[in-house]
Amino acid sequence: ITNAAVNTGTMMVKALTVDPIMQCFSEYETKMNLIQTIMLNTASKGTSMNEVTKVIDDLNVYADKTIYNFAEMTRNIGTFTAAGVALEPAAAAIKGIANLAAASGSNSMQASTAMYQLSQALATGTVKLMDWNSVVNAGMGGELFQNALKDTARRHGVAVDEIVAKNGSFRDSLQEGWLSADILNETLNNFTVDGAKNYSRGMMEAGQWTQEQADAFVAQAVSMEDAATKVKTFTQLWATLKEAAQSGWGKSWEIMIG
């Protein structure tokens, strides 16, 4: 028992000291490759190196606070920009998916699968049944996501309730092609606190929402982000500590190498 306790302690110390030094070098390389990918995909939009670095650093801070890791997020933001999504909306969409995954009880691997599949849907312009099936398989296709998408569609003037009623279900209604990239992007952005605040402010200024409606809209985003950032188990705590240690060493590698 004593030997097992000592070995466990040694492994825990190593996981927060030696291992992050090596793992974060891989994270550093991931970041460098990502910058190149994003710059190539967003050059036509006039994106600068400073803008790319700022967005990636912001995403890294978010990853440190959640159960989802930076490598998965950065890999998928590259696929979003490759699909034609601008840099900042792509970062917001990644955060929105992570918040949705946490609220749906999905793990980081499932969130990564959903991020990849939705990026492919964005590239085609609409979310098709095949794309939605992948979201459902990731445990994220429940009423929360469905209702949010339908609400956004209504605000875009889409007769989504009639479309769903005609086809018999949300799932089958997607064959009509009503779930566009714009509706998906806006919905995911509203799953973040900043996105929800900006959107509700705009709706109030346009006279379409009351203060109570705006507060309720922001409260949902806050609760989703809480689900992603508030540690509830030792396993989540450990994953968050390791991610923070890796990010710190990743910054050190960046300072040393450039």
Side-chain angles (χ1 to χ4, degrees), residues 74-129:
T74 52
R75 183 165 55 248
N76 285 294
I77 197 174
T79 61
F80 268 65
T81 55
V85 182
L87 181 57
E88 291 194 4
I94 293 293
K95 290 181 184 179
I97 294 173
N99 287 348
L100 173 63
S104 304
S106 300
N107 59 35
S108 59
M109 186 61 69
Q110 289 172 309
S112 181
T113 299
M115 289 176 191
Y116 176 78
Q117 194 62 47
L118 290 176
S119 73
Q120 302 308 298
L122 289 172
T124 64
T126 57
V127 177
K128 299 180 176 63
L129 181 57

Side-chain angles (χ1 to χ4, degrees), residues 35-77:
I35 288 174
Q36 182 181 34
T37 300
I38 291 176
M39 290 297 293
L40 287 170
N41 290 327
T42 60
S44 61
K45 300 178 178 66
T47 304
S48 68
M49 178 67 76
N50 287 338
E51 290 174 318
V52 174
T53 303
K54 181 180 180 299
V55 168
I56 293 175
D57 287 343
D58 179 61
L59 202 61
N60 199 2
V61 170
Y62 174 83
D64 286 347
K65 296 189 296 183
T66 69
I67 59 174
Y68 306 106
N69 69 60
F70 178 65
E72 290 170 346
M73 289 185 176
T74 52
R75 183 165 55 248
N76 285 294
I77 197 174

Side-chain angles (χ1 to χ4, degrees), residues 4-250:
V6 171
N7 290 338
T8 300
T10 301
M11 289 172 59
M12 291 177 70
V13 171
K14 183 184 176 187
L16 292 178
T17 54
V18 179
D19 289 351
I21 297 176
M22 300 309 297
Q23 291 170 358
C24 76
F25 185 73
S26 175
E27 186 172 292
Y28 163 77
E29 290 184 322
T30 298
K31 181 177 177 179
M32 294 304 103
N33 290 330
L34 173 68
I35 288 174
Q36 182 181 34
T37 300
I38 291 176
M39 290 297 293
L40 287 170
N41 290 327
T42 60
S44 61
K45 300 178 178 66
T47 304
S48 68
M49 178 67 76
N50 287 338
E51 290 174 318
V52 174
T53 303
K54 181 180 180 299
V55 168
I56 293 175
D57 287 343
D58 179 61
L59 202 61
N60 199 2
V61 170
Y62 174 83
D64 286 347
K65 296 189 296 183
T66 69
I67 59 174
Y68 306 106
N69 69 60
F70 178 65
E72 290 170 346
M73 289 185 176
T74 52
R75 183 165 55 248
N76 285 294
I77 197 174
T79 61
F80 268 65
T81 55
V85 182
L87 181 57
E88 291 194 4
I94 293 293
K95 290 181 184 179
I97 294 173
N99 287 348
L100 173 63
S104 304
S106 300
N107 59 35
S108 59
M109 186 61 69
Q110 289 172 309
S112 181
T113 299
M115 289 176 191
Y116 176 78
Q117 194 62 47
L118 290 176
S119 73
Q120 302 308 298
L122 289 172
T124 64
T126 57
V127 177
K128 299 180 176 63
L129 181 57
M130 178 183 67
D131 306 313
W132 185 253
N133 284 339
S134 295
V135 174
V136 171
N137 291 337
M140 296 162 59
E143 284 190 8
L144 175 63
F145 198 14
Q146 290 182 30
N147 290 337
L149 289 167
K150 287 190 287 187
D151 286 343
T152 305
R154 292 186 195 104
R155 291 193 288 270
H156 279 255
V158 178
V160 63
D161 297 301
E162 289 81 353
I163 295 173
V164 172
K166 183 178 74 173
N167 287 276
S169 68
F170 178 92
R171 179 179 180 277
D172 292 331
S173 74
L174 296 176
Q175 65 185 342
E176 301 270 350
W178 64 268
L179 185 43
S180 67
D182 289 340
I183 292 174
L184 175 61
N185 261 331
E186 186 175 306
T187 303
L188 293 174
N189 185 51
N190 289 339
F191 285 157
T192 68
V193 175
D194 288 342
K197 286 180 177 178
N198 291 334
Y199 189 83
S200 60
R201 188 183 304 115
M203 293 295 282
M204 286 182 62
E205 290 174 353
Q208 298 185 40
W209 277 7
T210 64
Q211 184 66 56
E212 289 74 20
Q213 287 175 303
D215 290 344
F217 192 73
V218 173
Q220 175 181 269
V222 170
S223 65
M224 293 177 73
E225 194 151 302
D226 282 348
T229 58
K230 289 189 175 179
V231 172
K232 296 170 285 294
T233 66
F234 180 77
T235 301
Q236 291 177 347
L237 172 63
W238 190 245
T240 304
L241 288 172
K242 287 174 67 177
E243 180 66 28
Q246 288 177 34
S247 296
W249 276 106

